[in-house]
Amino acid sequence: RWEARIDGLDKYENGQLIKYTVEEVKVDGYESKTEGDAETGFTVTNTHTPNPPTGDNSHLVLWIALMIILVAVIVVIAVLRRKKN
């Protein structure tokens, strides 16, 4: 958490009240929310929003089991061919 204070800004320009605002620079992976005003103070809240994972690892166990079965079938075929010859 950090704070900043800006003092000495003009309140009027050409007889009109100046409305000051605060804007956060967009940063990938973060959402920014600004609340408040120049009179009460601004609060800027940044929230980290990680990117969703890419790829699907939910079937990893299934793929491993299928590979083991495939290797077992190849070994059985090789053993049967050797016995035949």
Side-chain angles (χ1 to χ4, degrees), residues 27-46:
V27 176
D28 287 341
Y30 287 86
E31 288 183 20
S32 179
K33 182 171 93 173
T34 303
E35 298 174 305
D37 56 40
E39 291 297 316
T40 61
F42 293 100
T43 300
V44 178
T45 304
N46 292 308

